[in-house]
Amino acid sequence: DAMVIQNPRYQVTQFGKPVTLSCSQTLNHNVMYWYQQKSSQAPKLLFHYYDKDFNNEADTPDNFQSRRPNTSFCFLDIRSPGLGDAAMYLCATSSRGQGARQETQYFGPGTRLLVL
Amino acid sequence: GNSVTQMEGPVTLSEEAFLTINCTYTATGYPSLFWYVQYPGEGLQLLLKATKADDKGSNKGFEATYRKETTSFHLEKGSVQVSDSAVYFCALSVQAAGNKLTFGGGTRVLVKP
């Protein structure tokens, strides 16, 4: 089945130690998103890639970076994790066409990050 | 701006009871509307969607109708099961806003046997 895959499902890191979360998709979607979710609150969009174009949200801390080496993969890098960065990180994808009015985002299972 | 308001939880029900979760929205432009469900420890799953007024989305016994006149997209299920216990998010997207999702605050539903 086509899907969005996130690895690992659980990640433990130390305060200040860089960590990378990964997302892959078999949907061949051209848009990939990263969200942060705390305590079953609504997910908060960090940034997204539309093809190779990176789009950062205005309030995303500089501590968060992303890479998209190809259509299938996208990475979230946290350069110096703080205790406040402990959260569920969700990857999502969608297919965006020229002038398409409607997009549907499909989410992966998430990676829960614990910062010690 | 765009916003989604949904009823606060938790909503506690007995098995086979009727479930309604209210969702209203404000949007600049013509939104698409979504319900996502999140089971404990999991990501969000698309439950159903509607892209134009009077459309009804349905899936797994859940239904929601896009009501433009009342700017609402209420989620209903006629007979819930214990396995429906989850957090439900109402959301919208508008092309003019880059199709980014605007979420409601989520409603936790607990179904007891």
Side-chain angles (χ1 to χ4, degrees), chain B residues 6-7 9 11 45 53 55-57 61 65 74 81 86 88 102 104 106-107:
Chain B
Q6 60 182 107
M7 59 191 292
V11 174
Q45 296 180 22
D55 268 2
K56 177 185 283 187
T65 301
H74 305 321
Q81 305 300 313
Y88 293 81
T102 299
T107 302

Side-chain angles (χ1 to χ4, degrees), chain B residues 23-84:
Chain B
C23 171
T24 57
Y25 67 88
T26 59
T28 304
Y30 201 122
S32 296
L33 302 173
F34 307 87
W35 277 101
Y36 285 89
V37 59
Q38 187 172 34
Y39 300 103
E42 299 292 325
L44 272 67
Q45 296 180 22
L46 178 67
L47 184 58
L48 51 84
K49 66 181 182 182
T51 59
K52 60 183 188 293
D54 300 325
D55 268 2
K56 177 185 283 187
S58 61
N59 186 26
K60 299 181 180 179
F62 290 90
E63 293 184 339
T65 301
Y66 190 142
R67 300 289 188 197
K68 189 177 180 184
E69 63 277 14
T70 55
T71 61
S72 64
F73 193 53
H74 305 321
L75 182 68
E76 296 181 337
K77 186 175 184 181
S79 177
V80 294
Q81 305 300 313
V82 172
S83 57
D84 293 323

Side-chain angles (χ1 to χ4, degrees), chain A residues 3-7 22-27 32 34 70-75 91 93 108-109:
Chain A
M3 57 176 59
V4 182
I5 302 160
Q6 291 189 244
N7 286 308
S22 70
C23 176
S24 64
Q25 50 123 346
T26 59
L27 298 161
M32 295 186 77
W34 279 104
N70 54 52
T71 300
S72 300
F73 285 86
C74 195
F75 299 99
C91 174
T93 73

Side-chain angles (χ1 to χ4, degrees), chain A residues 28-78:
Chain A
N28 202 33
H29 284 170
N30 54 1
V31 189
M32 295 186 77
Y33 305 81
W34 279 104
Y35 290 85
Q36 180 191 66
Q37 186 185 29
K38 295 186 176 182
S39 303
S40 287
Q41 297 174 16
K44 177 180 180 299
L45 181 64
L46 296 173
F47 28 58
H48 74 278
Y49 273 95
Y50 175 22
D51 290 326
K52 296 182 180 180
D53 292 334
F54 178 70
N55 298 272
N56 199 30
E57 293 301 298
D59 57 353
T60 298
D62 292 340
N63 197 28
F64 292 87
Q65 306 282 319
S66 186
R67 296 170 283 133
R68 190 180 185 186
N70 54 52
T71 300
S72 300
F73 285 86
C74 195
F75 299 99
L76 169 62
D77 300 310
I78 308 176

Side-chain angles (χ1 to χ4, degrees), chain A residues 9-10 33 35 37 39-43 45 48 57 88 90 96 99-110 112, chain B residues 30-32 34 36 38 41-46 49 51-52 87 89 93-95 98-101 103-106 108:
Chain A
R9 296 292 309 275
Y10 298 90
Y33 305 81
Y35 290 85
Q37 186 185 29
S39 303
S40 287
Q41 297 174 16
L45 181 64
H48 74 278
E57 293 301 298
M88 173 79 92
L90 298 167
R96 181 175 300 173
R101 189 180 82 81
Q102 189 270 331
E103 289 179 32
T104 300
Q105 292 189 27
Y106 297 91
F107 286 79
R112 184 166 296 281
Chain B
Y30 201 122
S32 296
F34 307 87
Y36 285 89
Q38 187 172 34
E42 299 292 325
L44 272 67
Q45 296 180 22
L46 178 67
K49 66 181 182 182
T51 59
K52 60 183 188 293
V87 179
F89 290 98
S93 68
V94 179
Q95 186 182 20
N99 279 310
K100 296 177 185 178
L101 284 172
F103 288 96
R108 182 177 298 276

